Amino acid sequence: MSHPASASRSDLARLIADARRIVVFTGAGISTESGIPDFRSPGGVWSKMKPIQFQDFVASEDRRREAWDRAFSGRAGWVGREPNAGHMAVSRLIAQGRASAVITQNVDNLHQASGIAPDKVIELHGNASYATCLACSERHELDELKTLYEATGDLPACRLCSGIVKTATISFGQAMPLGPMARAEAETLACDLFLVLGSSLVVYPAAGFPVMAKRNGARLAIVNREETELDGYADLVLHDEIGPVMTAAAPAN
């Protein structure tokens, strides 16, 4: 295999072809190609509005109202976009049985929109396309909540238990979801190729999975526009656009 710094798209295609069980790990970089802003870069979401801490959301009606105003206005820009060529290539790998799962840090629902069954998408940071009750976990659709909110001005509450309702994302200060974390670890330990697409690999514990895979004997490939702290640890690194890279590496039949 080529030294990471001199890898090519054909090298990635060979790595994918040789793998028996691939896990794909995606971050904001795969969705920026659909027009969804990332979080941390200049001009990203958090440079325009400060994140609302989970404890503040629970404790303060004012912060909950601020959060819902953001969600209903679409200011964060996390939802309402279409999957791009990178998403579609990942969907092909799943459909062909080459990849067993997608572990994603994204909340935009674009992997599901690309045709991947929801049970194949492991969402570490939740999903911004619907809401859940913090008390009983009942699912609530955003369109229904928005209609009620605009009609009454009342903060969304659970229709079953009247508990606090929040978009189904994992906020700063909120515990990571135990089920998805356990599933992500199991998939990571079962793969022989761990393919990172569009993650800066700085947010833990999520960024620990590539290291876990490599230590367990899997190959590690990273496709990201910028350098990551794990580039020197990987078997292959491409600093390139994900859509064209993955279209070449996992073409449609």
Side-chain angles (χ1 to χ4, degrees):
M1 183 53 59
S2 299
H3 184 275
S6 60
S8 68
R9 294 179 182 181
S10 59
D11 291 328
L12 178 60
R14 283 193 293 272
L15 205 59
I16 289 173
D18 289 343
R20 296 184 307 277
R21 185 183 177 109
I22 303 166
V23 164
V24 182
F25 180 93
T26 63
I30 193 172
S31 293
T32 56
E33 294 175 29
S34 287
I36 292 178
D38 67 10
F39 300 91
R40 290 168 180 80
S41 67
V45 173
W46 301 143
S47 70
K48 298 175 182 176
M49 54 184 176
K50 288 184 62 176
I52 296 172
Q53 297 286 326
F54 178 69
Q55 294 84 347
D56 295 337
F57 180 92
V58 172
S60 167
E61 286 193 8
D62 287 344
R63 298 316 298 275
R64 289 203 291 281
R65 190 170 300 279
E66 181 181 354
W68 281 115
D69 285 342
R70 289 180 184 182
F72 292 144
S73 72
R75 272 183 299 180
W78 287 332
V79 293
R81 303 296 180 131
E82 296 297 322
N84 62 53
H87 294 105
M88 300 313 296
V90 173
S91 183
R92 288 195 293 275
L93 290 176
I94 293 284
Q96 294 163 2
R98 309 298 314 287
S100 60
V102 180
I103 304 171
T104 187
Q105 297 173 288
N106 299 335
V107 299
D108 51 41
N109 206 57
L110 290 184
H111 286 302
Q112 294 92 325
S114 75
I116 300 175
D119 64 356
K120 296 286 190 181
V121 183
I122 302 171
E123 294 174 317
L124 299 182
H125 297 159
N127 190 308
S129 69
Y130 62 94
T132 54
C133 174
L134 295 178
C136 74
S137 301
E138 174 74 0
R139 175 171 170 147
H140 296 260
E141 301 307 321
L142 293 184
D143 286 346
E144 296 173 9
L145 295 177
K146 182 178 182 179
T147 298
L148 283 170
Y149 183 70
E150 290 180 342
T152 66
D154 295 335
L155 286 169
C158 181
R159 59 178 166 264
L160 293 185
C161 73
S162 300
I164 293 173
V165 172
K166 177 184 171 295
T167 56
T169 55
I170 303 302
S171 298
F172 285 90
Q174 188 172 2
M176 293 292 284
L178 295 179
M181 289 295 289
R183 287 184 58 214
E185 180 172 338
E187 288 288 350
T188 296
L189 293 175
C191 76
D192 64 346
L193 173 60
F194 195 96
L195 175 58
V196 176
L197 301 177
S199 176
S200 56
L201 299 177
V202 296
V203 179
Y204 284 82
F209 290 115
V211 175
M212 182 187 298
K214 178 75 171 171
R215 288 177 176 169
N216 196 51
R219 294 288 186 91
L220 174 60
I222 299 172
V223 183
N224 195 54
R225 281 192 296 275
E226 309 296 331
E227 293 183 1
T228 80
E229 292 183 3
L230 294 184
D231 282 6
Y233 195 60
D235 296 279
L236 180 147
V237 176
L238 283 171
H239 296 145
D240 204 343
E241 298 292 320
I242 293 163
V245 165
M246 289 303 298
T247 298
N253 292 332

